[in-house]
Amino acid sequence: YVPQDPLISDLSLKENVAFGIPKQFIDDEKVLYCLKQTQLLEVCNSLQKGIDTNLGNKGINLSGGQKQRVAISRALYQNTEILVLDEATSSLDNKTEKIIQETIKNIKSKITVISIAHRLSTIKNCDCIFLLENGKLIEQGTFDELQENSKLFQELAKSQINVIN
C-alpha cells in the first residue's frame, strides 16, 4: 500500500526500502534491483553514501516523487503481488508523475497494480478502469472505451484536458 504521503523513516535508503528487515539481513543487491525498477538508481548513485545515505526525518532529503518511488521500491522488496496506490501522484508535478507512471508501466507485468486516483492522467494506461460515483460502480473499461462511451468520464476528461495529454 502506497499512500499519498508515504512513511519515510530517519534511516538509510536501504533500510527504508527493506523496511522492517533487520539491517544485517538486508539484501543490498535486491535493494538496488528495486531502486532500478522504480527509476531511483541514478538518484541513489548521486547520494554521498549511496544506499547507506540517511534520508532524514520524514524523508526531508527527498522530493515528493522520490518518496513515492521509495515506497514503491519497498513494496517490490517485500515481493508483494498486489500494489495499491492511493492517490500516490496527486501532489506531484506532471514531470514527476510521468516518472512514476513509467515505473508503474515497468512493474505492472510482474504484479497487480491498483491505482486509486482522481487525476485521469494517473490511470490513462491502466488495463481496466472502474468509474465510481457516490461509492457505486458506474462503468468500467479502458481509458479509450470510457472516453468514447461514458458521459461522466467525458466530463471528467474535459475538466482535466491539460493534465491528460
Side-chain angles (χ1 to χ4, degrees):
Y1 173 73
V2 179
Q4 203 169 359
D5 188 20
L7 170 70
I8 304 295
S9 293
D10 191 11
L11 300 167
S12 69
L13 175 56
K14 78 176 174 184
E15 290 170 291
N16 270 283
V17 170
F19 198 73
I21 306 293
K23 197 173 184 176
Q24 68 270 24
F25 296 117
I26 295 174
D27 181 341
D28 288 0
E29 290 302 314
K30 188 173 180 181
V31 169
L32 292 171
Y33 171 79
C34 294
L35 293 173
K36 182 178 180 185
Q37 295 301 302
T38 58
Q39 299 182 35
L40 272 176
L41 194 54
E42 193 173 302
V43 172
C44 172
N45 291 336
S46 72
L47 297 172
Q48 189 175 19
K49 294 181 181 178
I51 61 173
D52 293 309
T53 301
N54 187 289
L55 299 182
N57 188 30
K58 296 184 180 179
I60 196 160
N61 299 323
L62 299 175
S63 71
Q66 290 168 336
K67 289 178 192 179
Q68 293 295 343
R69 289 182 280 158
V70 168
I72 295 169
S73 296
R74 181 181 297 152
L76 295 176
Y77 188 89
Q78 300 297 336
N79 293 321
T80 186
E81 292 180 21
I82 299 173
L83 175 64
V84 178
L85 303 172
D86 187 0
E87 293 286 358
T89 63
S90 66
S91 62
L92 305 178
D93 61 80
N94 289 341
K95 180 181 176 187
T96 306
E97 182 188 11
K98 286 182 192 229
I99 293 170
I100 299 277
Q101 292 306 324
E102 189 64 32
T103 297
I104 294 167
K105 197 166 138 184
N106 290 341
I107 64 173
K108 77 177 193 174
S109 64
K110 299 172 183 98
I111 63 174
T112 299
V113 179
I114 299 171
S115 185
I116 302 163
H118 288 90
R119 196 187 301 182
L120 297 184
S121 57
T122 303
I123 59 170
K124 190 171 185 179
N125 295 312
C126 290
D127 296 329
C128 187
I129 298 168
F130 296 92
L131 184 60
L132 303 175
E133 185 176 44
N134 298 322
K136 294 185 180 175
L137 178 63
I138 303 299
E139 299 186 61
Q140 70 184 58
T142 66
F143 189 92
D144 291 336
E145 289 168 349
L146 290 173
Q147 200 164 24
E148 187 175 316
N149 302 318
S150 170
K151 296 258 187 244
L152 177 59
F153 197 83
Q154 290 166 6
E155 290 172 23
L156 291 169
K158 274 185 196 173
S159 70
Q160 298 182 30
I161 195 94
N162 293 332
V163 182
I164 297 170
N165 297 322

